[in-house]
Amino acid sequence: MSDRWYSKAVVYCLDIDTFADSNGDGVGDIPGLIGRLDYLSRLGVNCIWLNPIHPTPNRDDGYDVADFYNVDPRLGTLGDFAELLHQAENRGIKVIIDLVVNHTSDQHPWFQSARSSPDSPYRDWFVWSETEPSDRKQGMVFPGEQDETWSYDRTAKQWFYHRFYKFQPDLNIKNPEVREEIKKICAFWLQLGVAGFRMDAVPFIIEETEPGNPNSPKDFGYLTELRQHVQWRKSDAVLLAEANVEPADLVTFFGDEGGSSNRIHMLFDFMLNAKMILALAREDPEPIIDGLRDTPKLPAGGQWATFLRNHDEIDLSRLTAEQRADVFAKFGPEKEEQLYGRGIRRRLAPMLGNDRRRLELAYALQFSLRGTPVLRYGEEIGMGDDLALNGRDAIRTPMQWNRLANAGFSTADPKDLIRPVVTDDGYGYETVNVTHQRHDPSSLLSWFERMIRTLREAPEVGNGSCTHVDVPAPRTLLVHRADDTTGTMLFLHNLGPDEVRIDLSSLEGDAEQPNDVLADSEYPEPDKLDDLSVSGYGYRWIRLRRGI
Ligand code: NOJ
C-alpha cells in the first residue's frame, strides 16, 4: 500500500474482549483475534481499528486507561500484541489503536500521585480549581450518567475537571510534560509497529480548560506538533480523529489556514453519519445531498472516514429537533432504544427491521460515498443488539462465529462471559453467525465480501472526488459519482420501496463501456444511460470509465 494508504483502506473496528476468546476465560483476547485474521483478510478489510487495549478498571469499556505503555492482561501480553502486528502485516492488514489521552482513569498512578499532594510531580498534569467552578454543571457528555464536569476530590482538597465520567480526570494539555508524554506514548506504539491511532475526543484534548469558562480556548498548535512527531517516527502513520463538532469548525482540525493538511489526516464524518441515517429514515436522499454540498473543502491530504455504526450510540445531536424526531420515530421509537436524549443504541439490522434489501442498500451507500469506510464488527453478518444491557453496551455483545455454545466466541461457562451472547429469535447466534453465512453465497457476509472486493477495484471511491449528479431524479433516488485519474464510477441508490427509472443520457459523454459492477439484482446491461431502472431499495454501481 502506498503512503496515502488510508484513503484506499477499508477499516474494521473491533474490541478484542468481545471478538474471540482463545483461553476459555470468557474474555476475548489477542491470540483469539490472531486466529481470526484470515476471516478478516477474506472479508477484504485492510486495516483494523482496535478499541482500547490498555490496562484499565474498565468502567468505560477501556476508555479509562491505567497504563498507556502496556496491554490489558485480560487480553494478553505485549509479546502477544507484537505477534498480532506481525501476523496482520503478513496478511497486508494494518493495525491502528485507540489513543485515549484526553484523560486517564482515576486509578492511573499519575492521578493517584497528583491528588495525594500539592507537591506531587504529577499535580499539574491534571486540571484543578481551588474554588467551585461556576460551570461545574455544564458540558456533560453523558447526560443521565454524568452529573457534572468538575468534582471535588477530598484527598486533593480541590476540584478536578473531567469532561467525561468522574472517574476520567482530564490531562492538562498546557503542561509541557504532558505534551511530551503523549508524544512518547505515540512513539512507543509506532515503534512496536502500529500504523496509527484513532484519537479519542480530540476537541477536548486540546482544550485549555479554565474554571468557570465553558468555552475555553483550544490549542490547535498541539495537533500540528503531534502530527510532526508522529510523522518523523513513521512517515505513513495515520491519525484518525473523533471530533464531533460543527462541520464549519472541522477544517481547523485537518490543518492550519495555509491549506495544507498538517494536523489530523482523517476525521470521522459525524454529520454525514447523522444525515445518512436521516435519509434512510425518510427514504429521501436530500439530507445526503445537503451533506455533500455543505461540507467544507478539505486541505490536500485530508480525508473523511464514513460510518453507519460505531461502538457508541448513533449520535443525532447535529440534526434539528424535527429531523431527530423523524429518526427516532422510524428507528428507535421506544425509550429503551434511545440514549442521552440524542442517540440510538441499536445495531443497524434491528433498526432496518432485518430487511436484507435495506441493509445492503445502507452499506452500499456508505461504502460508495466519499472517504474511507469504517465497519463495526458483526455488522457484516447483521448482528442484533441486547437492550437489556446498560447504555452503549447493548451493541457490544460477543461476535457470533457459529451455532456452538456461546456462539463459538468462548468455551467459558456462560455466566463468566464478558457479556451475554445474543440469543433472541431474529438475531440469536443459532441463526446469525459467520459459519452459516460463509457457506452461503447469497448471505449478507458473502455480499460484504463481494462489495468490498468491488470497492478495492475502484480506487476513485475514497481517493477521488465524490459529487451529487444534479439531474431531474425521482424523489427517492440518489445519483452520485466518483472521479479521479483511475476512472469514473456512477452510483444509483433508491431509498424508497418502489422501482424508479432515470434518464442519465447527459452523462453518456463520460461513459466508455458502462457496466454494472455491483447491484441488488441483475439489470439489463446499461449500454445507454437514457432509461435506467432501479428496484425498490435497490442500488447499482456502474463503472462508466476506466482511466489510467
Ligand atoms: C469517545 C468514545 O467513543 C467513547 O466510547 C468514550 O466513552 C469517550 N470518548 C470517553 O473516552
Side-chain angles (χ1 to χ4, degrees), residues 50 58 102 137 173 175 179 188 246 261 321 334 378 399 416 421 456 496:
L50 300 176
N58 220 5
N102 171 65
K137 300 265 180 196
I173 197 67
N175 183 322
R179 299 165 84 93
F188 175 83
E246 285 296 329
S261 168
E334 305 298 330
M399 180 68 179
D416 295 331
V421 292
R456 300 282 292 276

Side-chain angles (χ1 to χ4, degrees), residues 4 24 70 73 92 100 127 203 220 259 289 326 421 454 489-490 504 525:
R4 272 204 60 192
N70 219 327
V100 190
V127 184
F220 283 95
I289 297 169
D326 283 358
V421 292
T454 309
M489 293 275 287
L490 173 69
L504 287 173
E525 279 299 319

Side-chain angles (χ1 to χ4, degrees), residues 79 108 135 151 155 240 247 350 353 385 392 395 399 446 479 506 541:
H108 195 295
D135 58 342
S151 293
T155 310
L240 162 58
D385 42 47
R392 291 169 288 159
I395 56 148
M399 180 68 179
S446 300
V479 185
S506 58
W541 290 13

Side-chain angles (χ1 to χ4, degrees), residues 60 63 100 103 142 164 198 200 242 311-312 392 396:
D60 181 16
Y63 285 90
V100 190
H103 47 267
F142 303 123
F164 297 97
R198 178 268 186 190
D200 190 59
E242 180 205 33
H311 61 292
D312 292 324
R392 291 169 288 159
R396 297 171 177 176

Side-chain angles (χ1 to χ4, degrees), residues 356-388:
R356 174 65 185 275
R357 291 173 309 162
R358 287 155 77 208
L359 270 171
E360 276 185 31
L361 170 73
Y363 277 108
L365 182 63
Q366 181 212 328
F367 277 60
S368 68
L369 285 170
R370 58 158 188 234
T372 299
V374 182
L375 181 68
R376 172 88 175 142
Y377 81 90
E379 287 291 302
E380 73 277 23
I381 52 170
M383 265 171 63
D385 42 47
D386 182 351
L387 297 177

Side-chain angles (χ1 to χ4, degrees), residues 70-91:
N70 219 327
V71 164
D72 187 342
R74 293 175 320 137
L75 310 181
T77 62
L78 267 179
D80 292 330
F81 188 73
E83 183 62 19
L84 168 68
L85 294 178
H86 171 72
Q87 294 290 348
E89 189 180 3
N90 277 349
R91 293 161 176 84

Side-chain angles (χ1 to χ4, degrees), residues 118-143:
D119 301 327
S120 156
Y122 293 103
R123 182 71 154 205
D124 187 53
W125 281 41
F126 295 87
V127 184
W128 302 98
S129 171
E130 284 189 12
T131 52
E132 179 178 341
S134 55
D135 58 342
R136 181 186 146 199
K137 300 265 180 196
Q138 291 180 44
M140 280 82 73
V141 177
F142 303 123

